[in-house]
Amino acid sequence: MAAAAAKRKPVFVKVDQLKPGTGGHTLVAKVLSSKTVVQKGRAAAGAGAGPAARPTRIAECLIGDETGCILFTARNEQVDLMKADSTVIIRNAKIDMFKGSMRLAVDKWGRIEVTEPASFNVKEDNNLSLVEYELVNVEGWDAMATMEIEASDTARQRNRE
């Protein structure tokens, strides 16, 4: 029974709190859209048909809350849960970087569950996946701080245009 008592209550975060290189995020989000980007069928059964023979599906889903939105990379059975207009609780998610921008993802240690529709409106004009990050090594600077400075500069320039 001690194991159950040791469980920590999840700390829910908002989309605008997500930062590159972080993980362990739990959040409630609405799915705005879902687009399948990879769909690989089964390989021919027979010689060489091992674990790689399983079908692979990957979808990019735009999800968000009242503070902003971000692209979520759904894999395989996750794709079925991430339907447009549904509300999900995403547990133990991590930030992956893809071509310099943030993507939220859940690996085998995390979980996605569909929940009651949320009452908030998604702030679609604050898309964290549109911010480009660049890793710059400057002696004496923390790399993450540098990434955030670069990102905020890029975002400010975009807003001025």
Side-chain angles (χ1 to χ4, degrees):
M1 206 60 169
K7 275 190 178 176
R8 292 180 297 143
K9 277 232 177 276
V11 176
F12 284 83
V13 297
K14 297 292 181 189
V15 169
D16 69 349
Q17 296 173 292
L18 300 172
K19 300 276 183 257
T22 59
H25 302 297
T26 299
L27 58 146
V28 175
K30 280 186 185 176
V31 180
L32 300 174
S33 64
S34 178
K35 184 177 79 184
T36 301
V37 290
V38 174
Q39 179 123 22
K40 293 181 184 162
R42 290 188 182 276
R54 278 194 220 118
T56 300
R57 288 187 302 158
I58 298 175
E60 280 191 342
C61 310
L62 186 63
I63 65 166
D65 62 18
E66 66 274 19
T67 67
C69 56
I70 190 168
L71 282 171
F72 178 90
T73 305
R75 298 178 185 280
N76 301 324
E77 58 278 348
Q78 295 173 355
V79 174
D80 300 325
L81 299 173
M82 302 299 285
K83 298 280 185 229
D85 298 325
S86 61
T87 301
V88 292
I89 299 174
I90 299 173
R91 299 181 192 278
N92 202 24
K94 63 184 168 106
I95 295 292
D96 286 334
M97 297 304 288
F98 177 73
K99 294 184 180 174
S101 66
M102 293 196 301
R103 300 281 197 275
L104 195 64
V106 170
D107 59 16
K108 66 179 180 178
W109 306 111
R111 209 168 83 204
I112 301 169
E113 53 192 78
V114 177
T115 187
E116 299 297 312
S119 57
F120 57 76
N121 289 322
V122 176
K123 184 174 182 178
E124 294 185 52
D125 61 355
N126 183 23
N127 186 336
L128 274 63
S129 292
L130 293 179
V131 178
E132 281 188 34
Y133 289 82
E134 186 177 325
L135 181 58
V136 180
N137 289 325
V138 180
E139 200 169 311
W141 277 73
D142 174 44
M144 285 301 285
T146 306
M147 286 172 62
E148 288 182 39
I149 291 166
E150 294 283 329
S152 62
D153 289 346
T154 304
R156 257 188 248 114
Q157 285 175 334
R158 241 191 228 125
N159 288 339
R160 278 190 227 125
E161 293 171 358

